[in-house]
Amino acid sequence: MDFRFTEEQLMIQDVARRIAAERIAPIAADFDRSGEFPLETIKVLGENGLMGIEVPHEYGGAGLDSIAYVLAMVEIAAADCAHSTIMSVNNTLYCNGLLKFGTEAQKHKYVTPIATGQAIGAFALTEPQSGSDASAMRIRAVRSPDGSYYAVNGKKSWITSGPVARYIMLFAMTDPSKGAKGISAFMVDTEREGFHRGKTEPKLGIRASATCEIEFTDYRIPAEDLIGAEGDGFKISMGVLDAGRIGIAAQAVGLSRAAYDAALAYSRDRKAFGQSIGSFQMIQAKIADMKCRLDAAHLLTLRAAFAKQQSATTGARFSTEASVAKLYASESAMFITHQAVQIHGGMGYSKEMPLERYFRDAKITEIYEGTSEIQRLVIARNETGLR
Ligand code: CAA
């Protein structure tokens, strides 16, 4: 196994690290407080290739690979989790899905504006009554008698970047009698009539990443904006989520690294009973446990990215690797940010330091793109072959 990164992978990591330090870290606390969407810095990420890292040059992307994506995500998440959430949806759920399943015309029309940072994308699977049980969706897309368009009616909820997205990958029921096999995927242009946005959700963490409900009333999707064939939607969504989960794992690693680095520095600087608290065994045990989890989460995430790269030639699914990485990295992010707050004591609880923000932000990584319970289900089903 080769643990060295290529020059290109290191280059994008460096670009991400520089933008994270110069542009994102200085504003992260303010945007967390206000909950405002960080449009300006999101544009900077797009202009520097970070919104379409795996998108080929011909569609406006950086033309790099999944390892490069993980390295860049870690850097952005270490500065601000909310920015990395927006970046992850644009890169994987949106661009990756369209690149894999879209037509040439769909790629040119819908991938390029997102990959170049001119517009923001979203992914609409969840509904008020269907989260983990994704195929229990109710939204309907009915083909017109002449086959030229689909009429969409219904709601989607918890749509990351929903309040600002120009284009959305939508999953809707075209044939409810077929269950999961009756779901189809479409591209939505939010500037068309019949599209409505609900209120922005007030959230515990990733507060600058805007989330809302969206609603469709007699919204018309031209037939050429169907992705794949009718009935392919559920499998498309699951394949896209496999890739998305690697991004969330990388986000959890970045967040964990920021919390770990802060705790390490504090354990050296803070004195109690005449010595640095880092010299006490109880703090040392925490540092050791945090370090083991951080490194293991990072390696599992890189392994998942490697498996995804291999799948481009073998066609093999990488669901298990992606779910293992997402489950382990997100639960480690909870553990590490919790320990980091504890090491900082009262200062960890104060809004004057970023620790409490890291702690709040970490929780979402155990919930979105499949809860920890769903990751365990995916892993166990794949390992045992039983359902
Ligand atoms: N790739 C391709 N196909 C897949 C697949 C995958 N990873 N996983 C399942 N499939 C296929 C199966 O092979 C099956 O096909 P066949 O019928 O031809 O055999 C079909 O899909 C149905 O599969 P299951 O019977 O396993 O489906 P299920 O109803 O039992 O559900 C589940 C499986 C794993 C629980 C799935 O519903 C799931 O992942 N739920 C979680 C949903 C989720 O992650 N939501 C996140 C919302 S998006 C989000 O959070 C974005 C954001 O804001 C940032």
Side-chain angles (χ1 to χ4, degrees):
M1 199 175 195
D2 189 350
F3 282 95
R4 285 167 304 179
F5 297 119
T6 65
E7 251 177 58
E8 286 175 320
Q9 289 163 347
L10 292 171
M11 185 197 71
I12 198 85
Q13 180 188 45
D14 202 51
V15 169
R17 189 180 288 147
R18 185 173 45 76
I19 297 172
E22 290 172 8
R23 305 292 303 264
I24 299 176
I27 62 165
D30 284 347
F31 278 75
D32 172 62
R33 251 187 299 276
S34 70
E36 191 188 328
F37 189 85
L39 197 53
E40 204 180 307
T41 33
I42 288 299
K43 276 200 183 130
V44 173
L45 293 179
E47 285 157 10
N48 283 276
L50 293 165
M51 287 301 180
I53 294 172
E54 295 173 74
V55 172
H57 295 299
E58 58 188 302
Y59 309 115
L64 297 173
D65 60 15
S66 305
I67 303 273
Y69 171 60
V70 164
L71 296 180
M73 271 294 288
V74 168
E75 296 305 320
I76 301 301
D80 180 37
C81 202
H83 276 79
S84 68
T85 297
I86 303 157
M87 178 175 160
S88 127
V89 171
N90 272 359
N91 272 277
T92 29
L93 297 190
Y94 184 94
C95 288
N96 176 79
L98 264 173
L99 284 174
K100 199 161 172 199
F101 302 102
T103 62
E104 206 48 36
Q106 287 169 343
K107 290 179 201 174
H108 280 288
K109 184 168 174 195
Y110 296 116
V111 171
T112 306
I114 307 301
T116 52
Q118 292 157 33
I120 289 160
F123 177 87
L125 180 69
T126 301
E127 294 183 10
Q129 80 298 331
S130 64
S132 292
D133 187 4
S135 67
M137 65 178 64
R138 289 189 190 143
I139 192 167
R140 286 295 313 271
V142 179
R143 192 152 30 123
S144 64
D146 67 357
S148 64
Y149 69 88
Y150 290 82
V152 182
N153 283 285
K155 273 185 189 169
K156 291 282 176 188
S157 55
W158 291 104
I159 306 307
T160 299
S161 298
V164 289
R166 168 69 199 267
Y167 303 114
I168 300 180
M169 184 181 285
L170 170 75
F171 298 89
M173 272 288 177
T174 39
D175 187 349
S177 69
K178 291 189 179 155
K181 289 188 167 59
I183 295 171
S184 304
F186 300 94
M187 284 314 300
V188 163
D189 181 341
T190 60
E191 292 194 348
R192 283 201 208 108
E193 231 177 276
F195 175 81
H196 318 278
R197 305 178 207 258
K199 74 167 171 52
T200 300
E201 299 288 348
K203 304 194 297 290
L204 172 73
I206 53 161
R207 288 175 32 76
S209 143
T211 311
C212 73
E213 194 169 80
I214 56 176
E215 189 165 3
F216 298 83
T217 42
D218 297 328
Y219 176 92
R220 287 185 178 195
I221 299 180
E224 67 263 24
D225 285 345
L226 171 73
I227 305 169
E230 263 189 36
D232 284 352
F234 191 69
K235 288 189 184 181
I236 291 177
S237 73
M238 291 296 115
V240 169
L241 278 166
D242 283 343
R245 288 166 183 166
I246 300 173
I248 303 307
Q251 172 178 61
V253 170
L255 184 57
S256 299
R257 192 188 75 194
Y260 174 75
D261 286 349
L264 196 58
Y266 196 76
S267 73
R268 290 194 189 107
D269 294 348
R270 173 73 177 174
K271 302 277 189 301
F273 306 102
Q275 47 192 317
S276 295
I277 60 169
S279 61
F280 297 124
Q281 285 189 356
M282 272 192 262
I283 300 293
Q284 289 179 346
K286 288 188 195 305
I287 298 287
D289 290 345
M290 291 160 84
K291 173 68 175 161
C292 290
R293 293 224 188 186
L294 175 61
D295 284 1
H298 201 179
L299 288 169
L300 286 172
T301 306
L302 289 168
R303 181 184 73 153
F306 183 70
K308 175 169 176 276
Q309 270 167 215
Q310 301 288 94
S311 93
T313 40
T314 62
R317 264 161 61 172
F318 51 91
S319 315
T320 303
E321 288 88 345
S323 286
V324 166
K326 202 258 186 192
L327 174 64
Y328 190 81
S330 59
E331 293 195 342
S332 295
M334 278 309 286
F335 174 83
I336 292 167
T337 56
H338 179 232
Q339 296 299 331
V341 169
Q342 191 66 18
I343 289 172
H344 281 79
M347 288 315 293
Y349 203 64
S350 166
K351 285 202 178 283
E352 285 182 13
M353 293 197 81
L355 281 305
E356 62 83 33
R357 171 164 57 89
Y358 298 156
F359 183 54
R360 285 184 288 109
D361 286 349
K363 185 61 203 166
I364 192 60
T365 65
E366 290 187 316
I367 297 174
Y368 60 15
E369 302 205 23
T371 59
S372 294
E373 290 74 13
I374 290 296
Q375 306 313 322
R376 286 190 165 87
L377 178 148
V378 170
I379 296 162
R381 277 184 180 179
N382 290 348
E383 286 294 287
T384 61
L386 301 171
R387 296 177 46 86

